[in-house]
Amino acid sequence: MSDSGRVRQAATTSDASPAADAQRVPRQVAAAADRLLGAAATRVPCAPVRDLIGTTDTRAAYAVQQRVTAARLARGARVVGRKIGLTSPAVQRQLGVEQPDFGVLLDDMGHADGATVPYARVLQPRVEAEIAFVLGADLAEGPLDLPRVRAAVDHAVAALEICGSRIADWDITLSDTVADNASAGAFVLGREHRTLAAFEPRTAAMEMSVDGRRVSEGTGADCLGDPLAAVLWLARTARDTGDPLRAGQVVLSGALGPMHPLTPGSRVTAVISGLGTVTTAIGEGTA
């Protein structure tokens, strides 16, 4: 297995009839969700879930994600936004995929700029720098295009996403990461807020360092050509699935460069031109 946790996209086949598949999928969705919830609860990464839901059935994968999210909401968590994953060509090359995905941001994932994130909070953590948008208006009714998305954004802010995988060794296919809430773990928002009248996401430049060593760089154009295009993709997708983006939500628009693994005690700094700096540290202990 390579360090990148190479994503496999080989299609699975089944001899089962469509009727048998219709009965099989709900059971397998539940089993996949239970596997991921067990890994999160025990802090022990699990086997991939593609043996249960296949590698290409994104509908089943999102159904697993929804079950896992529902379990966390039942324990008191609150939805505060969404994350878009697999938007950067560099990250797509790292994971071997060619399309974005999305996950849910919960309130207990968020951390203040400069805060220390406990190492045990995120399984197998990897960090990436990106632009976050806070929405000032819903993206629910009517036409959805780039001008509409731009008008809906209240402000942009530099962000770090600490991705995590409940699946051992990041041994994931597209369906595995989708089921695992798009490998969401934690996020950190910077202090400087910029309206889109004062900041152009597509031309922003990013540099990220870990323990003083530069490990990633890129631009806004490395995120689906424009981070706002990523938000547009999410807005359309979220509305199509019956859960549109709402005012006040945070949208992590996707990595601007390669992700980097983290170990206990790591210190991370990202600088995004026009948005300033965002930093975090990873707790020293493994507990």
Side-chain angles (χ1 to χ4, degrees), residues 213-236:
R213 181 172 65 90
R214 187 170 63 185
V215 297
S216 182
E217 59 185 338
T219 71
D222 291 318
C223 177
L224 287 187
D226 183 341
L228 291 174
V231 179
L232 174 60
W233 172 86
L234 175 62
R236 289 172 171 170

Side-chain angles (χ1 to χ4, degrees), residues 36-117:
L36 292 168
L37 287 166
T42 62
R43 309 295 310 158
V44 177
C46 63
V49 296
R50 57 182 175 269
D51 64 313
L52 297 169
I53 61 173
T55 60
T56 60
D57 189 348
T58 55
R59 179 176 298 181
Y62 279 113
V64 175
Q65 181 187 123
Q66 290 167 357
R67 289 181 70 98
V68 171
T69 299
R72 294 189 64 180
L73 295 177
R75 295 196 295 267
R78 179 173 56 89
V79 175
V80 296
R82 310 287 179 83
K83 64 151 288 182
I84 311 169
L86 305 173
T87 58
S88 162
V91 174
Q92 289 181 352
R93 287 191 294 270
Q94 282 183 306
L95 298 179
V97 299
E98 297 180 349
Q99 66 186 86
D101 67 351
F102 72 89
V104 177
L105 298 179
L106 302 175
D107 58 337
D108 58 3
M109 296 178 181
H111 299 268
D113 186 24
T116 296
V117 178

Side-chain angles (χ1 to χ4, degrees), residues 10 23-24 31 42 44 47 84 110 125 160 170 173 177 188 195-196 212 217-218 230 239 273 277 282:
Q23 295 177 352
R24 171 180 57 84
T42 62
V44 177
I84 311 169
L160 293 169
W170 280 82
T173 65
T177 187
V188 181
T195 68
L196 296 186
E217 59 185 338
R239 188 172 70 176
S273 61
T277 300
I282 304 302

